Amino acid sequence: MKERIERLKKLTYIPQNEIAWLFEQAELSVKQQEIIEENKRQQEVTVHQFRQAQKDIQQLSGDRKRYKQALEKIITNLNFAIQVAQNELEGATK
C-alpha cells in the first residue's frame, strides 16, 4: 500500500481508478478510526464498571463483617439468657 501511495505521489495525473482506490482507503481509515474510538469507549465503560464492582465488593465485605459481629453478640446474649433461665429453672425445682 505504501508503495502504491508513493507511486501516486509522483504522478502529475492520477487515473480515475486510482482516485477511487484512494477514496476507498480513506473511507476504510475513517471506519477503522471509528471502531478504535468505540472500542476505547467500551473499554473505559468496562473499567469503570469493574472499579465500581470492586468498591461494591469492599462495601459488602465490610457489611458482612459487621453483620457477623452483631450476630455473634446476639448469639452470646441469647446463650447467656438461656443459661440464666436454666439456672432459674433448676433453682425453682429444688
Side-chain angles (χ1 to χ4, degrees), residues 5-82:
I5 292 171
E6 289 303 319
R7 183 176 56 82
L8 290 173
K9 285 181 183 178
K10 294 176 187 174
L11 297 176
T12 54
Y13 165 78
I14 300 175
Q16 190 65 33
N17 65 335
E18 296 295 346
I19 290 175
W21 179 82
L22 285 173
F23 283 138
E24 188 178 293
Q25 295 305 309
E27 289 172 356
L28 285 174
S29 178
V30 168
K31 287 179 184 177
Q32 287 173 342
Q33 189 60 37
E34 289 172 352
I35 290 169
I36 290 168
E37 289 172 9
E38 178 61 20
N39 287 343
K40 284 181 183 179
R41 189 192 67 75
Q42 288 178 1
Q43 185 178 22
E44 289 171 1
V45 167
T46 302
V47 167
H48 175 72
Q49 289 173 338
F50 178 77
R51 289 187 178 146
Q52 186 61 47
Q54 281 182 319
K55 288 178 185 177
D56 292 346
I57 289 169
Q58 288 173 348
Q59 182 178 355
L60 290 171
S61 295
D63 290 348
R64 180 181 174 269
K65 185 177 180 180
R66 286 188 295 279
Y67 291 143
K68 183 179 177 184
Q69 289 171 346
L71 186 58
E72 287 171 351
K73 286 180 184 178
I74 291 169
I75 291 170
T76 301
N77 291 339
L78 286 173
N79 284 335
F80 179 74
I82 290 169

